[in-house]
Amino acid sequence: MSIKIYNTLTRQKETFVPLEEGKVKMYVCGPTVYNYIHIGNARPAIVFDTVRRYFEYRGYEVVYVLNFTDVDDKLIKAANELEEEVPDIADRFIEAYKEDVGAFGVKEAVYHPRVTENMDEIISFIKSLISKGYAYETEGDVYFRTRQFDNYGKLSHQSVDELRSGSRIEVGEKKEDPLDFTLWKEAKEGEISWNSPWGNGRPGWHIECSTMAKKYLGDTIDIHAGGQDLTFPHHENEIAQSEAHNETDFARYWMHNGYINIENEKMSKSLGNFVLAYELIKQHDPQMIRFFMLSVQYRHPINFSAELLESAKNGFERIRNAYENVKHRQETCMNLTDDKEEWLQEIERMNQTFIKEMDDDFNTANAISVLFDIAKSANLYLQKEQTDSEVLQGYADLLKNLTHVLGLEIETAQELPDEEVDTKIKEREQARKDRNFQKADQIRDELKEKGIVLEDTSQGTRWKRG
RNA sequence: GGCGGCAUAGCCAAGUGGCAAGGCAGAGGACUGCAACUCCUUUAUCACCGGUUCGAAUCCGGUUGCCGCCUCCA
């Protein structure tokens, strides 16, 4: 079995074949760090982290690179408004980014390159493009000569002429052609800048990714990923730069995630419906948010609303409950069932189904439906009067491993109840034995106010954080 | 104008030729002292019109509606 990926380049699912056996070189376009991230930024972080985790689960080594754009127009604007220096703002929001996506269970990239730390490489990349005739300098700016690159438009499937006729691109006076894009931008008075052969300035937006992908992963990489909106012009321009420069294919598989809408409307500043990740995390379990995002195929749009989050919360709770049910039963299980092989086979069958679904272009929606199947199956097993330890362990491991592949933490933080709570539970159990239900209910209500929910099972009372 | 996507139950969402997954919500039932957890039962002319086929949600043509990109944007 092999993994299939929908490749934007060819507009179809293709069997993934790595450049180097057992290794995946993956570059994901990261954030421009001028503000806190919103949930739209969180989606690619979560989606491609899941892709990475799945590759790792399937035995690949993943060299995962996620860049930070730490200098550009938006950062300079923010610096002016906040009366701070660009590097300070960048540092601050990089930390905020890591904290936010960390809450969603996103692993740290292997490399987190920053534009400002790769200035020499960027400048020499541009110099090389100029010497090859793909770029030209005009009055301190450097532009890429788009028409010079024959395959321009192969990712977004646009021809140069179509782009031009429909374009609203301003004809820059310094450009030879409206389609040409900036590689190096001359600094205005007082702006942060770097010295270059063309004077003081800063890199254009696209050149950083070409340069850093090459530096950390090589001329050709396996997977390049980002939001759907980056397809054009950002990724198209990266291809032009990199392939003109390296004279070989830039990326073999291009992956793009879909948008997030808020209450059926596009998230936009003018509508004022931006949802910042850190604010959302204050109100909701970030793990549940991740679960919610993965419940839809990554290329499809997701709508975001309080109602849908509630639905996701309940669904995720069901899976967590199943796991807790199994764990709880393990304390009192035996080794008596004679049909244990059948159950173990069932467990393995579901494991294989999960893999089959994820192999198909990371179909997390179907993978999650397998988690529900496992939950149901485990709960049914638990209805038996006698259970086998190996089967229970099989369910526990399966649920834990597969949720982990999706970056979900199934084990809720269960600090031990303090002595007072412990005593209350014992007290209540005695009351129930004495059939003093009024007292029992009173204790249960009391604990509920403290956020502790009690559940009576045939194997005794257990509790959890509500 | 160019390129592309989507339309499946009250809601969310899989399914790309063979009796329409799964979840949430609702209803009924079982278990329980009552709850909770859990289990069982229950809800679909797959936007519309043609065509291809033994057979279509799925392929082809058309219609309608919504959305994205072509400009900074995840």
Side-chain angles (χ1 to χ4, degrees):
Chain A
M1 282 205 297
S2 53
I3 298 172
K4 283 197 160 60
I5 296 178
Y6 181 89
N7 190 351
T8 307
L9 205 54
T10 56
R11 286 182 177 162
Q12 56 190 18
K13 284 182 194 170
E14 295 174 8
T15 299
F16 176 74
V17 181
L19 287 158
E20 272 178 57
E21 198 176 332
K23 198 167 181 178
V24 182
K25 298 176 192 173
M26 185 165 177
Y27 187 98
V28 179
C29 284
T32 302
V33 284
Y34 68 107
N35 199 348
Y36 294 103
I37 59 162
H38 57 253
I39 55 168
N41 303 103
R43 190 175 187 190
I46 290 170
V47 162
F48 298 119
D49 176 69
T50 306
V51 168
R52 171 201 189 166
R53 284 169 179 270
Y54 186 65
F55 272 118
E56 288 172 346
Y57 177 66
R58 297 285 263 114
Y60 289 90
E61 179 201 344
V62 182
V63 187
Y64 193 88
V65 179
L66 185 130
N67 69 291
F68 289 120
T69 301
D70 61 351
V71 61
D72 88 322
D73 291 354
K74 291 194 287 290
L75 269 147
I76 289 170
K77 187 161 173 256
N80 288 336
E81 283 168 5
L82 299 170
E83 294 182 355
E84 285 182 62
E85 297 301 317
V86 167
D88 295 337
I89 291 177
D91 285 347
R92 189 145 51 90
F93 288 117
I94 284 172
E95 283 317 302
Y97 174 87
K98 287 182 176 176
E99 199 173 310
D100 289 346
V101 301
F104 291 124
V106 173
K107 290 169 74 170
E108 279 259 342
V110 177
Y111 299 107
H112 267 309
R114 297 169 60 156
V115 177
T116 56
E117 290 170 356
N118 290 277
M119 220 38 96
D120 291 345
E121 288 86 348
I122 288 172
I123 289 169
S124 77
F125 200 109
I126 296 173
K127 272 162 78 176
S128 167
L129 283 174
I130 292 175
S131 71
K132 290 186 180 209
Y134 281 105
Y136 56 93
E137 190 249 327
T138 324
E139 298 167 38
D141 289 350
V142 181
Y143 297 100
F144 187 88
R145 195 171 272 132
T146 300
R147 280 177 184 277
Q148 186 79 20
F149 182 70
D150 288 342
N151 283 324
Y152 195 81
K154 72 174 178 181
L155 182 69
S156 54
H157 303 273
Q158 304 266 355
S159 77
V160 179
D161 295 318
E162 282 163 353
L163 280 168
R164 195 177 185 189
S165 63
S167 79
R168 281 173 270 170
I169 300 168
E170 283 178 43
V171 183
E173 286 163 27
K174 297 177 179 179
K175 291 183 188 177
E176 291 177 359
D177 186 291
L179 285 173
D180 293 351
F181 56 90
T182 309
L183 297 176
W184 188 263
K185 186 170 183 172
E186 185 183 30
K188 288 183 196 142
E189 188 63 35
E191 282 181 353
I192 186 169
S193 68
W194 285 259
N195 193 262
S196 81
W198 320 286
N200 289 337
R202 63 179 181 276
W205 175 36
H206 318 294
I207 194 68
E208 59 182 78
C209 289
S210 284
T211 305
M212 296 189 287
K214 178 183 170 68
K215 178 175 173 183
Y216 292 95
L217 296 172
D219 285 357
T220 303
I221 67 179
D222 289 301
I223 297 173
H224 195 124
Q228 221 159 50
D229 51 323
L230 295 182
T231 310
F232 190 92
H234 185 55
H235 289 160
E236 196 71 71
N237 291 351
E238 281 186 50
I239 290 175
Q241 294 162 346
S242 290
E243 300 194 353
H245 182 281
N246 303 333
E247 297 176 14
T248 183
D249 285 345
F250 179 39
R252 288 154 56 93
Y253 305 90
W254 288 86
M255 298 180 72
H256 294 98
N257 65 273
Y259 268 107
I260 287 181
N261 294 320
I262 308 289
E263 306 277 358
N264 294 311
E265 280 181 319
K266 183 178 173 174
M267 188 163 62
S268 76
K269 281 177 182 160
S270 57
L271 287 166
N273 60 354
F274 258 68
V275 177
L276 295 178
Y278 83 91
E279 285 178 348
L280 191 71
I281 291 167
K282 279 191 216 157
Q283 295 162 27
H284 300 281
D285 174 7
Q287 284 285 302
M288 181 275 285
I289 304 293
R290 181 173 182 125
F291 176 84
F292 170 70
M293 293 234 192
L294 295 178
S295 67
V296 178
Q297 218 281 338
Y298 74 90
R299 284 183 281 120
H300 296 176
I302 291 188
N303 194 30
F304 210 83
S305 72
E307 191 191 353
L308 293 172
L309 284 185
E310 179 66 18
S311 172
K313 177 171 174 281
N314 292 338
F316 189 40
E317 198 64 25
R318 179 177 168 76
I319 291 164
R320 274 184 165 160
N321 280 341
Y323 181 75
E324 289 305 320
N325 292 343
V326 172
K327 295 298 273 187
H328 183 251
R329 187 62 171 270
Q330 278 185 313
E331 292 162 18
T332 57
C333 78
M334 299 179 252
N335 298 291
L336 295 167
T337 46
D338 47 21
D339 57 354
K340 111 178 180 189
E341 282 309 317
E342 289 167 38
W343 290 96
L344 289 174
Q345 275 172 24
E346 172 73 358
I347 287 168
E348 180 51 24
R349 190 193 59 75
M350 292 187 290
N351 184 33
Q352 291 304 319
T353 306
F354 180 92
I355 290 170
K356 182 178 87 81
E357 298 297 354
M358 286 297 283
D359 271 0
D360 184 14
D361 194 29
F362 312 97
N363 194 332
T364 53
N366 276 346
I368 284 174
S369 83
V370 175
L371 294 183
F372 282 114
D373 289 344
I374 297 165
K376 165 90 67 157
S377 174
N379 283 325
L380 280 172
Y381 185 70
L382 293 176
Q383 300 221 316
K384 293 163 72 74
E385 281 186 27
Q386 296 176 336
T387 54
D388 179 79
S389 61
E390 210 180 315
V391 175
L392 289 182
Q393 194 60 45
Y395 276 115
D397 289 347
L398 188 64
L399 281 167
K400 190 165 187 178
N401 292 343
L402 298 188
T403 48
H404 184 74
V405 171
L406 299 179
L408 297 167
E409 183 51 63
I410 198 166
E411 268 179 297
T412 46
Q414 289 276 31
E415 67 266 48
L416 290 168
D418 57 43
E419 270 183 48
E420 191 198 351
V421 174
D422 208 27
T423 310
K424 289 282 180 194
I425 291 173
K426 286 206 174 86
E427 210 177 303
R428 177 170 170 276
E429 281 184 329
Q430 188 56 49
R432 291 182 70 218
K433 272 183 196 157
D434 301 340
R435 303 192 71 77
N436 183 351
F437 296 121
Q438 201 181 348
K439 185 179 178 189
D441 290 350
Q442 191 196 320
I443 292 171
R444 185 168 61 194
D445 291 344
E446 215 176 287
L447 288 175
K448 194 178 178 184
E449 278 177 30
K450 294 182 180 175
I452 290 169
V453 178
L454 299 186
E455 293 179 359
D456 300 324
T457 75
S458 50
Q459 286 81 33
T461 298
R462 61 177 172 149
W463 66 277
K464 65 178 181 181
R465 300 264 168 211

